[in-house]
Amino acid sequence: MSEHCKKAYITTPIYYVNDIPHIGHAYTTIIADSLAIYSRMAGLETFFLTGTDEHGQKIEEAAKKRGKSPKEYADEISGRFKALWDEFEISYDKFIRTTDEDHKIGVQKAFKTMYDKGDIYKDVYRGHYCISCEAFFTETQLVDGEFCPECGKPTQIVEEESYFFRLSKYQDRLLEWYRENEKCILPKTRRNEVMRFVEGGLEDLSITRTSFDWGVKLPAEMNDPKHVMYVWLDALMNYLTALGYGTDEKLLDFWPARVHLIGKDILRFHAVYWPAFLMSLDLPLPKHIAAHGWWTRNGEKMSKSKGNVINPKEVADAYGLENFRYFMLREVPFGGDGDFSQKALIDRINSDLGNDLGNLLNRLIGMSGKYSDGAVSSAKVAELYGEELAEVHDSLDKLEPLLFEMQLHRYLEELWKPLAVANKAIDRHQPWVMMKEGRNEEAYALLGLIANILAKVAVMLHPIMPKTTQTIARALGFTINGTAYEDLIQRKDLLSDFTIEKVPPLFPRIEEPLLKEAAPAAEEKRPAEKKEKPKSEPVEGLITIDQFFETKLAVGTVVEAEEVHKSKKLLRLQVDLGEEKPRQIIAGIKEWYSPADLVGTQVCVVANLKPAKLMGMLSEGMLLAAKDEEGLALIRPEAPKKAGTPIG
């Protein structure tokens, strides 16, 4: 492995200080943080960069409106970004600001290098400029001959002296790079989009302005003080100046970046202008430029006027930061637009995290405490449960490529498969039956299997949920670090024997939204319209969807069944609902089902009924069934489902 292969340079875009952090900023930063945590755990020397972009006409105007200098305004907004990332415990190595002096020095060096090479020349610029996007557009690109094709705001006709970068010179080299490096831009649809744009022809790029002053000046030796650099040339250079380009250059061996994470709205700047600048500077190109989509809320685009902008801190405070991190990475395929709703977040917490992960740990704690005083051993796991282990390792082996190719939802989807193996093993092998039959060794080995699956999943989930997974690891007697990654994942070793530590439930069930939803914006008043009366009378007894979801339905596996003495109707069942121990349910189905018919089959259970006594026995739920003149039939899942799977 070369020295550079042992390094990982991961960047977010530097966020423009025209507004406070929103959910899109948090999404990008959480992805980058997860990649950085994984890289460090995997033994790579890692440098993780984030920061703020603070120059340009838009900032100058925003500051003026607020009665502040551009620097005062930039200090305020940049401080909010840094404070939020610190509160979110984002593990960045450097927070760069384009107002940093060493950054300006590096940008000036790059400008002079490209100028000396002949890639920058002076001319007069005439064209349409969008202040909001800090971008230039041709007449044919405008909407209705005036409006910006990106943001829809009016453009200004600009005619002024400008320095130009010979972007057209690099058109063929850019296309060659795209074609020879299939994964240079992720996802692939974005690469195709960029290629089509470049194939349409590139014009030279105006890279200085004289109409405003808030920006990086040209190098002093050029003796042209009225010019400031184009904000995007200034901003893109941060990826190099953060490593010391133009100053001490001590960290430049981290270049090129392994991943530049960006939003799709700034793809052209990163995938066309940035590699062309690097080619001019004779520097290597980044390995991946990964562009994600936008977030909507309940299916609507977010805007201040609608009052539906999501504050990531409010969501993290209400639902837990790590739950929020998991949801963001799991909910939407990278590159597509994602929709945020509290219902979707709650479903992920209750189902994926609560039922699949948290409940598995609870079951292990309960069973090991009951059967072995908390002692868990891996001694016989490979011998007795080798098939399950092989299936788990097969899933784990697929994970790293998915992570660095930005298939984050698939990474988590694949990581959840070992949890399904564990839950299925409990349902299939029934350790409570093993203990009754004296097959203690098999039961103890099954507990070891579950513990090892949880441990391996915790290691690979660690980049997304670093605190939660350390809690799981503590319960299982180890610490997640590079050694654990090497032992449990790379070498496929098993845990040393340990005594389990009881921990509180990791994901308490959430029954209703924890944040108040924004009221819909008032609609414009319209002339009253005569409404027709409904053609049919409303149906009596209708309930709302919320009332329906007050009933908790779940799939259960019948693990024991017997007749109730002296009763003609009742059977006493032990039903596994994916909890620490099976529930006892007394069911009046003896006329239609014998105990032998039921053991090992699945049923649908009303799981949140208040327990009641029938013939002196506690019943902790009710089976769903349908009855007509031909008799009674239990309602069952069409295909086997994991015990505890919610029905909705």
Side-chain angles (χ1 to χ4, degrees), residues 39-310:
S39 298
R40 295 185 191 108
M41 184 175 71
L44 300 177
E45 191 178 349
T46 302
F47 195 88
F48 170 21
L49 175 70
T50 190
T52 46
D53 177 9
E54 303 174 22
H55 288 134
Q57 188 174 0
K58 187 160 52 172
I59 301 302
E60 189 175 69
E61 292 185 355
K64 189 175 181 179
K65 286 179 184 176
R66 292 163 175 80
K68 298 180 179 181
S69 71
K71 183 63 163 64
E72 287 173 332
Y73 177 67
D75 286 347
E76 177 188 336
I77 304 299
S78 178
R80 292 191 186 184
F81 276 93
K82 190 172 187 300
L84 182 62
W85 302 155
D86 289 344
E87 186 167 337
F88 276 15
E89 298 187 34
I90 301 299
S91 63
Y92 61 84
D93 294 285
K94 183 177 177 68
F95 186 98
I96 192 171
R97 300 181 59 184
T98 55
T99 49
D100 293 341
E101 287 305 316
D102 54 354
H103 169 73
K104 295 177 187 177
I105 292 168
V107 174
Q108 289 169 336
K109 176 187 175 179
F111 191 98
K112 187 67 165 59
T113 301
M114 292 189 284
Y115 180 81
D116 290 344
K117 189 175 182 178
D119 282 351
I120 292 176
Y121 62 93
K122 188 190 282 190
D123 203 340
V124 175
Y125 179 78
R126 298 177 185 86
H128 297 267
Y129 181 67
C130 175
I131 294 174
S132 181
C133 295
E134 305 275 10
F136 304 96
F137 298 96
T138 64
E139 191 83 39
T140 57
Q141 291 175 310
L142 298 180
V143 177
D144 295 333
E146 177 186 1
F147 299 101
C148 172
E150 300 288 346
C151 70
K153 294 179 181 177
T155 58
Q156 295 180 358
I157 296 177
V158 174
E159 181 171 332
E160 59 180 315
E161 180 183 274
S162 176
Y163 286 84
F164 286 78
F165 174 74
R166 295 186 191 277
L167 186 63
S168 58
K169 170 183 172 180
Y170 291 98
Q171 177 172 327
D172 291 341
R173 280 185 64 185
L174 286 168
L175 288 170
E176 183 183 0
W177 181 55
Y178 305 143
R179 289 170 185 146
E180 291 182 357
N181 297 273
E182 188 179 357
K183 296 175 182 175
C184 63
I185 300 169
L186 298 171
K188 188 177 179 180
T189 52
R190 298 292 174 210
R191 171 175 158 269
N192 296 341
E193 174 187 322
V194 170
M195 288 181 69
R196 286 195 299 271
F197 173 79
V198 176
E199 285 167 350
L202 294 178
E203 296 182 359
D204 290 351
L205 180 67
S206 171
I207 56 169
T208 67
R209 305 252 62 76
T210 59
S211 54
F212 63 93
D213 194 53
W214 181 239
V216 179
K217 298 288 187 179
L218 300 196
E221 59 266 38
M222 295 189 69
N223 196 28
D224 210 346
K226 65 183 178 182
H227 285 265
V228 296
M229 290 188 211
Y230 176 42
V231 67
W232 275 104
L233 172 59
D234 165 18
L236 290 163
M237 282 301 300
N238 92 91
Y239 302 126
L240 286 173
T241 62
L243 301 176
Y245 179 86
T247 52
D248 57 25
E249 304 200 346
K250 63 184 178 183
L251 295 173
L252 271 180
D253 57 349
F254 276 101
W255 188 259
R258 183 165 188 174
V259 181
H260 283 319
L261 274 159
I262 60 169
K264 67 179 181 180
D265 53 326
I266 54 175
L267 177 61
R268 185 181 304 170
F269 303 101
H270 282 80
V272 181
Y273 302 166
W274 178 227
F277 293 156
L278 290 168
M279 289 173 180
S280 179
L281 294 169
D282 294 318
L283 289 170
L285 304 189
K287 187 171 182 181
H288 300 301
I289 298 168
H292 64 72
W294 291 327
W295 281 84
T296 57
R297 184 170 193 173
N298 298 321
E300 288 191 330
K301 187 174 181 179
M302 284 180 261
S303 72
K304 287 182 178 179
S305 61
K306 290 181 180 177
N308 66 348
V309 175
I310 296 168

Side-chain angles (χ1 to χ4, degrees), residues 22 97 109 156 186 200 234 239 331 334 368 405 484 498 538 553 583 603:
H22 57 62
R97 300 181 59 184
K109 176 187 175 179
Q156 295 180 358
L186 298 171
D234 165 18
Y239 302 126
E331 186 66 10
F334 184 91
S368 59
E405 291 175 14
F498 67 95
L553 307 176
R583 288 199 198 186
V603 291

Side-chain angles (χ1 to χ4, degrees), residues 361-376 430-436 440 443-444 447 499-500 502 559-560 574 579-584:
L361 179 62
N362 294 343
R363 296 176 85 182
L364 177 65
I365 291 171
M367 290 187 295
S368 59
K370 182 177 180 180
Y371 303 150
S372 59
D373 293 326
V376 180
Q430 302 181 353
W432 49 90
V433 173
M434 291 177 177
M435 294 300 292
K436 280 186 178 180
N440 295 22
Y444 297 154
L447 299 183
T499 299
I500 204 161
K502 291 184 178 180
V559 295
E560 291 181 16
Q574 296 293 326
E579 298 167 335
E580 183 180 332
K581 62 179 182 179
R583 288 199 198 186
Q584 178 170 279

Side-chain angles (χ1 to χ4, degrees), residues 447-474:
L447 299 183
L449 172 70
I450 305 309
N452 276 283
I453 291 175
L454 277 167
K456 292 170 187 284
V457 168
V459 170
M460 298 305 282
L461 183 60
H462 183 68
I464 290 91
M465 305 181 75
K467 285 193 170 180
T468 302
T469 49
Q470 287 291 19
T471 301
I472 295 172
R474 189 180 76 242

Side-chain angles (χ1 to χ4, degrees), residues 363 427 430 432 552-560 573-579 581-583 585 598-607 622-624 634-637 639-647:
R363 296 176 85 182
D427 296 340
Q430 302 181 353
W432 49 90
K552 306 300 178 189
L553 307 176
V555 174
T557 302
V558 180
V559 295
E560 291 181 16
L573 311 177
Q574 296 293 326
V575 181
D576 178 16
L577 288 174
E579 298 167 335
K581 62 179 182 179
R583 288 199 198 186
I585 297 177
L598 296 170
V599 174
T601 68
Q602 292 199 305
V603 291
C604 297
V605 178
V606 181
M622 182 176 74
L623 306 187
L624 295 186
L634 291 169
I635 306 298
R636 303 178 184 273
K641 293 294 174 187
K642 181 173 53 184
T645 298
I647 300 170

